[in-house]
Amino acid sequence: SIEAPPERRRGDALYHALRFDEYAGVLQAEGLVYGEELGDSLFDDGSDAGWLAEVREIYAPDRIRRLFRAEFQRQLQDAEMAEAVAFYQGKTGARSVTLELSAREALLDPDIEAASVERMYTMKADGDPRIAMVEAFSDANGLVENNVVSALNGNFAFLDALTDAGQGPFVRDRGAMMSAIWEQEPEIREETEEWVLSFFNFAYTPLTDDEMAEVIAFSNSVQGRRLNTALFAA
């Protein structure tokens, strides 16, 4: 058989080290929660079985894995990522992935999510230095900015498709659609900052300060930044 090129093997190794096959299942669970809330806000009778079936199909784990993996490999096809593979196959990198995955699953419980937000604000008010490390990690990966852009793009895609179907408030005034989306930016940014800090503060609680410093240092490295770009693109 023909052996895969080194860059493809590294991409596969990173994909598995980041445990994205497992993440896809969590993303579906999160998507179903969001989809049901969205349906309840859109329809007088709330989310029905047909709507939820559509949402489940959109967030089907096999579909997410296929789309993500293809773009992830494309983004990394010309990249030398040996150091990234070594980091995420190593103790601290592998532990950070496990902790993030566990936290995403745990935060599906709204009570746990609310408690994580409250804890983050308490630590911030107390000047806990750990929050500064979480902020440094967020800044290194551009987590707030990238997630704000993703949210705005998602809102545009949703409203644009709704308008194309002759539905929603912007059928007669598409120009107002962009204005309405940009008006949401400050609120989206505030919510994103809260979520990012509370999530990673919660997820990385078991990491020592030295381990946090390792994660931040990798995020600030050339390969860390390149990997982060590929993850957001995918």
Side-chain angles (χ1 to χ4, degrees):
S1 61
I2 299 174
E3 189 175 2
E7 62 272 14
R8 179 59 184 262
R9 294 200 301 274
R10 283 190 291 271
D12 286 341
L14 268 173
Y15 177 89
H16 290 300
L18 294 169
R19 297 174 65 177
F20 198 81
D21 280 346
E22 295 170 71
Y23 253 108
V26 179
L27 290 175
Q28 185 188 47
E30 292 176 347
L32 287 171
V33 171
Y34 170 68
E36 185 168 4
E37 292 173 353
L38 182 62
D40 289 344
S41 70
L42 286 173
F43 310 122
D44 292 338
D45 296 328
S47 300
D48 61 16
W51 169 264
L52 293 177
E54 290 281 355
V55 173
R56 189 171 287 105
E57 184 176 341
I58 288 169
Y59 285 97
D62 285 347
R63 177 177 180 270
I64 291 174
R65 291 182 190 113
R66 184 181 72 255
L67 294 171
F68 176 91
R69 193 165 189 169
E71 181 61 20
F72 187 65
Q73 288 282 11
R74 192 186 74 79
Q75 288 285 326
L76 295 178
Q77 62 187 359
D78 297 322
E80 167 58 60
M81 297 299 289
E83 290 177 21
V85 173
F87 178 76
Y88 282 108
Q89 288 181 342
K91 181 182 176 183
T92 301
R95 193 172 184 219
S96 71
V97 172
T98 298
L99 291 173
E100 285 185 40
L101 184 58
S102 298
R104 292 290 281 260
E105 293 170 335
L107 292 176
L108 289 168
D109 184 329
D111 291 336
I112 295 177
E113 182 178 21
S116 76
V117 172
E118 182 178 353
R119 177 170 175 263
M120 180 273 291
Y121 278 124
T122 299
M123 291 173 67
K124 201 167 186 178
D126 292 343
D128 193 312
R130 185 62 175 227
I131 293 296
M133 297 191 82
V134 176
E135 288 175 331
F137 171 78
S138 172
D139 291 344
N141 290 286
L143 295 180
V144 173
E145 203 62 41
N146 282 315
N147 278 294
V148 168
V149 170
S150 294
L152 291 172
N153 285 339
N155 288 353
F156 171 78
F158 179 79
L159 291 173
D160 191 50
L162 203 64
T163 302
D164 282 345
Q167 302 293 322
F170 304 112
V171 174
R172 293 182 178 83
D173 188 359
R174 294 183 72 94
M177 182 171 66
M178 290 303 297
S179 297
I181 291 169
W182 274 110
E183 284 174 5
Q184 296 173 335
E185 195 271 350
E187 182 181 355
I188 289 173
R189 183 172 295 277
E190 183 177 344
E191 291 175 352
T192 300
E193 288 176 350
E194 177 182 270
W195 184 88
V196 165
L197 291 182
S198 63
F199 171 76
F200 284 101
N201 185 54
F202 174 76
Y204 286 168
T205 294
L207 293 182
T208 66
D209 286 351
D210 286 345
E211 288 172 326
M212 274 293 293
E214 281 185 62
V215 174
I216 294 167
F218 173 74
S219 298
N220 276 316
S221 71
V222 172
Q223 292 207 355
R225 292 181 184 279
R226 187 174 290 177
L227 174 60
N228 190 53
T229 299
L231 287 168
F232 271 103

